Amino acid sequence: MSTLRVSPVDLLIVAGYFLVTLALGLWFGRRKIRNADALFLADREATWPLIGASMFSANISSQQFVGQAGLAYAIGLAAGAFQLVGAMCFAFLALFFVDVYLGLKLRTSPEFFERRYSTGARMFVAGINIVMILAANIATALYAGATVVTDLLGWNSSLQFKLAVAVIALAAGTYTILGGLRSVLWTDLLQSTLLVLGGAVTFGLTLSAAGGWPGVLPTYDSTGASLWSVVQPWDHAFGWLPMITGAVILGVHSHCTDHDYVQRALAARSVFHSKMGALFAAFLKILALFIVAAPGVIAAKLLPGLAHPDQAYARLVATYVPPGAAGIVLAGLLAAILGTVAAGLSASSSMISYDFVLRLAPTLSDQARVRLGRLLMAGVLLLCAVLAPGIRQFKGVFGYLVQLWSLLAPPVFVCVVAGVFTRRASARGATATLVTGTLLGAIAFWALGDAAIVAQLPRYLRSALNCGFVITVVCAGVMIVFSAHPSAAAGAGDVTARPPLAPTMTAGERRAYRIVLVALAVTWLAVTLAFSPWGLAPPRTTDH
């Protein structure tokens, strides 16, 4: 029988916030959408607070709050190391990629591959990007949101889970389809604000319930390693070696080339706003270590024995956060999940429109392009709503995401890094790299899903992150060999030699940007060292 896990007041707050979010999205999207650029790039008028908050909301809401908190419940704060890697990669976006992307006046991130390599490379990357957004962003966000809703309401049946998916899909789809990216940016700003506030409340209250830092810091795994350390042994599934190799590759691919993030950078009104938005998102990612992953570690102490780790965050809130405050926290969580769905819808539909359909029908009128974009968003949403319940078969949503991302990222990572930083990479090399890397990734994804095969693999290759690094090395070799071949055709455009076409920053903007960049680096290093074996999380000592 269904039983409420939160008070009726909390449920009213959650329902009310759904309505407020929907109304806000429609209000900010009330301006008539004249063309596809207005629908998918908000007329390139976005400022850095909107860009940073939207990047954060697109990244953090579903995968992290449900999946990463669940993983932290099982293995400790090492699950949150992805937040630190993500912060670093958003800084890379500002440092190395924004000038190139805005200088080329791109509409989608895969367009870079056509400008640098070939039309085939663009369409190949767009296809991979669309699949990743559909499977690893939208469908997973719907799954994560439905997990929270069903746990709060005590729903257990498959039909009830599907109903929760449908409600979330309808809410996010309405304002995204009607209001476009402009609506998404403004609702993400509100959602991120509430998400951070609610996460801080959850962290503070549950930390107090667990006895404060003295009560939770002496928490160790079976090997004696502290669960509060983000730095784990090399052979740990999320140890320092796979983080330095596989996770950084994954992070650069997702934060610097995935269109759901790059789309926001492209929507900026200037280079300054694009770069500062990425740095703002990086600071929020560091904060997420405490508002997302840390509560999962606290939940392991307060709520041992949960049937499914992905229940950890919602159950923690329902048990230890008082009525009223719990409603605000959960409303922020669910609203942010709407943000991820909205981001994925806008990004995937813009790629389908610009990278595929409009290439075949370039004479479509502006209004026809808007109608096409909206129809594509509706179709994508329906497909992902059908796929979402199937994610339950994985042990944890974040494990599913890491495995999928790690194995699809390497070929795109190699091509974009080679395309930006070298002049020798060729269209032939890019094609060979993309095909080889994708095939190897598909084989590895299948192999790692079979326990019998995994048991026969060397220990190093049992981690998807490590497999991703090996595939990256192979892809780099393929790029070098095929680009050096005498018959290799030159890339379609040498972006490394072309000066930026976008306006540069003023002296004042450049100074402010550099100050913020240094502050980010200092903060990142301080947090990493504090939550490591050399800081607050040393291994357990044994008395002799």
Side-chain angles (χ1 to χ4, degrees), residues 110 121-133 351 355-356:
R122 173 184 183 174
M123 299 183 76
F124 196 105
V125 171
I128 293 176
N129 212 327
I130 290 168
V131 169
M132 291 183 74
I133 289 176
M351 285 187 290
D355 296 321
F356 292 100

Side-chain angles (χ1 to χ4, degrees), residues 147-460:
T147 298
V148 174
V149 170
T150 53
D151 189 63
L152 292 179
L153 299 178
W155 289 356
N156 300 310
S157 73
S158 175
L159 180 61
Q160 290 170 326
F161 191 88
K162 292 176 182 177
L163 177 61
V165 168
V167 170
I168 295 170
L170 181 62
T174 300
Y175 70 81
T176 306
I177 293 171
L178 296 179
L181 184 62
R182 190 183 309 277
S183 290
V184 174
L185 291 171
W186 280 103
T187 54
D188 281 350
L189 180 63
L190 175 63
Q191 291 163 359
S192 295
T193 301
L194 186 59
L195 186 153
V196 170
L197 177 62
V201 169
T202 302
F203 173 70
L205 290 176
T206 55
L207 180 65
S208 177
W213 285 113
V216 297
L217 281 178
T219 308
Y220 308 94
D221 63 17
S222 59
T223 68
S226 172
L227 289 181
W228 284 96
S229 176
V230 295
V231 181
Q232 293 293 338
W234 74 269
D235 56 350
H236 188 281
F238 299 98
W240 63 266
L241 181 58
M243 282 293 145
I244 290 175
T245 55
V248 171
I249 292 168
L250 171 60
V252 170
H253 172 270
S254 60
H255 296 78
C256 302
T257 70
D258 271 5
H259 190 54
D260 44 354
Y261 305 125
V262 174
Q263 182 185 27
R264 281 135 185 78
L266 297 178
R269 63 173 51 172
S270 69
V271 172
F272 174 75
H273 284 281
S274 187
K275 287 177 175 283
M276 291 294 285
L279 296 186
F280 181 35
F283 275 109
L284 292 175
K285 286 285 286 179
I286 295 174
L287 184 60
L289 180 68
F290 303 99
I291 65 174
V292 177
V297 184
I298 297 172
K301 180 178 179 65
L302 295 177
L303 300 169
L306 289 181
H308 201 294
D310 286 349
Q311 297 174 334
Y313 195 88
R315 193 68 61 83
L316 198 67
V317 172
T319 306
Y320 291 97
V321 179
I328 294 174
V329 172
L330 295 169
L333 171 60
L334 292 171
I337 288 173
L338 296 186
T340 298
V341 176
L345 277 180
S346 181
S348 59
S349 299
S350 68
M351 285 187 290
I352 296 172
S353 294
Y354 285 125
D355 296 321
F356 292 100
V357 178
L358 293 181
R359 295 181 63 83
L360 302 175
T363 59
L364 283 179
S365 67
D366 285 340
Q367 284 306 305
R369 294 183 180 203
V370 172
R371 287 194 296 270
L372 171 66
R374 286 171 168 163
L375 286 173
L376 287 172
M377 283 191 270
V380 166
L381 188 62
L382 179 61
L383 174 63
C384 291
V386 173
L387 294 175
I391 297 175
R392 285 183 124 179
Q393 65 181 299
F394 289 85
K395 292 182 179 179
V397 61
F398 198 72
Y400 158 79
L401 289 173
V402 168
Q403 185 166 309
L404 181 64
W405 283 335
S406 300
L407 301 174
L408 286 180
V412 178
F413 169 85
V414 169
C415 287
V416 75
V417 171
V420 170
F421 294 105
T422 72
R423 300 181 183 183
R424 295 183 178 180
S426 70
R428 178 189 176 101
T431 301
T433 299
L434 291 169
V435 172
T436 301
T438 302
L439 288 175
L440 290 176
I443 293 170
F445 186 80
W446 166 77
L448 291 175
D450 189 318
I453 295 176
V454 172
Q456 302 300 316
L457 293 174
R459 190 171 185 178
Y460 177 80

